[in-house]
């Protein structure tokens, strides 16, 4: 399958500093892809290069087959971009604002009004479309922004921190809407965020940016494997016997398995970090040693945990090096 977005060795330098460093990434039609990373990681710079709004030092951004640097007009026709700050005519209604944008995009007079109304209904602004934008909440403005982006029938939409400042229900509804649009209309969505939980809810795949580098990409289980490497499964157990008294014998027993990398005591349970799912081995080993198990479960990692543990591990390694 040909990717709809193809970034090849894309780099951007400010002075001597690389904001984006040799980025390679393929995104396919109909995917919801999350650009995730802390402040300053290079997400917005990457988006600007994809839109042809800033030139890369080296490499290429191919969008729907067009080079964003040499052919930004073709790219602009196919991509809808929702920046993190929106500007509307506040004393005009949502419908008037949308019609204005439709005209700017060259849509004919006849189809504009009908299409604008349909879109405002689609994004959930049916009741508010004839109210002035000055009366809109942040969430409503974001929906209007989405309608602005969709009116030119883009193949790709790029949303920069789209849920900033919206209340939790608004965020949920907005993300659901994006997911629906992508799945029903086969729209490719690129979403930049530092909110892991939101990205996890809505994205098919995620790319994790740190200091201008894409350090991992994939779905959540893949990211977990790549970032946590040898410790991507954690099994938590609790025994009827005292773990304080028995922890060293248990560690010796369990660490005989090559798949078990670390065993730590945490409060009154034992955390066993493994490369694979070895729960049955753990259970058998402990039962054979006459321990009585109170519970055993595999801890599922969300993006939040993966991210936090990745940075914890990195800091630990840095400390060890220093
Ligand atoms: N015009 C510029 N001139 C100099 N440095 C810049 C410029 N634009 C961005 N940078 C730097 O490049 C790095 C990447 O910035 P970028 O805005 O792409 O990050 P980001 O991941 O989008 O962050 P945020 O989540 O805060 O928006 C940062 O260190 C930033 O200070």
């Amino acid at each position: 399958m040909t990717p709809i977005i193809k970034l090849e060795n894309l780099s951007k330098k400010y002075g001597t500093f690389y904001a984006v460093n040799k980025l390679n990434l393929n995104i396919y039609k109909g995917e919801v892809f999350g650009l995730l990373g802390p402040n300053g990681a290079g997400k917005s710079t990457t988006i600007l290069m994809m839109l042809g709004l800033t030139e890369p030092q080296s490499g290429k951004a191919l969008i729907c087959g067009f080079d964003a640097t040499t052919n930004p007009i073709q790219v602009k026709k196919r991509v809808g971009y929702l920046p993190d700050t929106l500007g509307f005519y506040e004393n005009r209604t949502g419908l008037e604002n949308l019609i204005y944008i439709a005209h700017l995009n060259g849509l004919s007079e006849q189809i504009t009004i009908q299409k604008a109304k349909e879109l405002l209904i689609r994004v959930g602004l049916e009741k508010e479309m004839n109210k002035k934008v000055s009366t809109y909440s942040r969430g409503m403005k974001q929906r209007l922004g989405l309608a602005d982006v969709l009116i030119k029938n883009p193949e790709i939409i790029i949303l920069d921190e789209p849920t900033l400042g919206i209340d939790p229900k608004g965020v949920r509804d907005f993300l659901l809407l994006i997911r629906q649009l992508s799945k029903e209309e086969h729209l490719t969505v690129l979403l930049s965020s530092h909110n892991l939980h939101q990205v996890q809810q809505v994205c098919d795949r995620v790319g994790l940016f740190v200091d201008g580098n894409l350090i991992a990409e994939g779905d959540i289980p893949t990211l977990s494997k790549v970032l946590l490497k040898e410790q991507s499964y954690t099994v938590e157990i609790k025994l009827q016997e005292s773990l304080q008294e028995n922890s060293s014998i248990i560690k010796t027993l369990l660490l005989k398995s090559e798949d078990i990398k670390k065993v730590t005591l945490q409060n009154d349970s034992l955390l066993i970090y493994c490369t694979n799912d070895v729960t049955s081995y753990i259970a058998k080993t402990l039962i054979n040693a006459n321990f009585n198990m109170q519970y055993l479960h595999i801890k599922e990692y969300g993006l939040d945990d993966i991210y936090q543990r990745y940075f914890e591990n990195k800091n630990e390694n840095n400390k060890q090096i220093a």
Side-chain angles (χ1 to χ4, degrees):
M1 205 185 349
T2 316
I4 193 161
I5 298 176
K6 187 169 183 60
L7 309 182
E8 286 176 352
N9 270 320
L10 196 65
S11 296
K12 177 76 189 176
K13 239 167 143 186
Y14 291 112
T16 54
F17 158 80
Y18 276 96
V20 176
N21 192 7
K22 295 195 188 109
L23 172 59
N24 286 293
L25 181 63
N26 289 337
I27 298 171
Y28 297 91
K29 190 168 171 59
E31 264 195 304
V32 182
F33 191 93
L35 295 181
L36 188 71
N39 288 334
K43 306 179 297 289
S44 301
T45 307
T46 302
I47 290 176
L48 293 179
M49 286 191 281
M50 285 188 216
L51 294 166
L53 293 174
T54 188
E55 257 188 61
Q57 240 69 43
S58 56
K60 258 190 214 170
L62 294 170
I63 314 293
C64 304
F66 295 100
D67 186 319
T69 308
T70 55
N71 219 336
I73 293 171
Q74 290 302 330
V75 171
K76 215 171 156 233
K77 274 188 190 164
R78 290 161 176 84
V79 181
Y81 172 52
L82 186 68
D84 54 355
T85 44
L86 301 172
F88 297 109
Y89 290 103
E90 295 275 325
N91 61 351
R92 292 190 195 170
T93 67
L95 182 60
E96 286 165 352
N97 267 279
L98 189 54
I99 290 171
Y100 174 73
I101 291 292
H103 287 155
L104 284 186
N105 279 292
L107 264 72
S108 80
E109 197 75 41
Q110 279 169 327
I111 59 163
T112 292
I113 296 179
Q114 193 195 341
K115 185 155 187 209
K117 283 185 179 167
E118 279 169 14
L119 262 180
L120 288 166
I121 293 168
R122 184 80 177 91
V123 300
L125 289 176
E126 186 171 7
K127 288 190 197 130
E128 293 86 4
M129 66 168 82
N130 291 312
K131 291 183 185 159
K132 283 189 177 171
V133 169
S134 56
T135 66
Y136 282 19
S137 68
R138 164 96 191 159
M140 282 152 66
K141 283 184 181 168
Q142 207 65 4
R143 284 165 181 271
L144 179 57
L146 189 59
D148 266 8
V149 162
L150 293 171
I151 198 132
K152 63 175 184 183
N153 274 334
E155 291 181 47
I156 301 170
I157 58 172
I158 299 181
L159 315 172
D160 202 351
E161 294 284 353
T163 53
L164 223 58
I166 307 182
D167 65 56
K169 177 164 183 333
V171 168
R172 246 192 337 271
D173 294 348
F174 189 79
L175 292 177
L176 199 66
L177 175 63
I178 289 170
R179 180 109 200 135
Q180 268 174 359
L181 280 168
S182 162
K183 298 307 151 204
E184 287 166 14
E185 286 160 44
H186 227 47
L187 192 66
T188 307
V189 181
L190 198 69
L191 182 135
S192 131
S193 175
H194 34 246
N195 188 317
L196 307 150
H197 181 63
Q198 291 175 13
V199 166
Q200 185 166 357
Q201 278 178 319
V202 73
C203 295
D204 300 306
R205 281 195 305 143
V206 174
L208 186 57
F209 282 69
V210 178
D211 298 334
N213 294 294
L214 178 71
I215 58 164
E217 59 154 303
D219 55 16
I220 309 295
T222 308
L223 281 194
S224 163
K225 269 218 167 330
V226 172
L227 295 177
L228 305 178
K229 295 194 178 85
E230 298 203 313
Q231 298 171 13
S232 49
Y233 288 85
T234 305
V235 179
E236 186 176 9
I237 59 165
K238 210 167 170 176
L239 302 179
Q240 281 173 11
E241 291 77 13
S242 157
L243 282 172
Q244 301 281 358
E245 285 169 22
N246 295 295
S247 73
S248 67
I249 179 162
I250 294 173
K251 278 184 192 176
T252 312
L253 282 172
L254 294 180
L255 288 171
K256 282 183 185 158
S257 160
E258 281 190 358
D259 292 322
I260 297 178
K261 296 294 168 191
K262 196 164 102 181
V263 181
T264 60
L265 189 62
Q266 195 178 73
N267 304 323
D268 54 352
S269 62
L270 211 57
L271 295 180
I272 305 160
Y273 299 94
C274 328
T275 49
N276 290 301
D277 181 2
V278 285
T279 38
S280 63
Y281 169 82
I282 294 170
K284 264 189 227 153
T285 307
L286 294 177
I287 289 164
N288 287 343
N290 288 328
F291 287 109
N292 293 292
M293 200 131 6
Q294 238 169 31
Y295 77 75
L296 174 153
H297 85 270
I298 301 184
K299 199 168 150 24
E300 300 264 345
Y301 285 116
L303 212 43
D304 254 330
D305 303 289
I306 296 171
Y307 201 55
Q308 199 183 339
R309 279 193 51 202
Y310 171 78
F311 283 105
E312 272 169 13
N313 286 346
K314 204 174 160 208
N315 288 341
E316 262 176 37
N317 290 342
N318 285 348
K319 268 188 231 151
Q320 279 166 13
I321 292 164

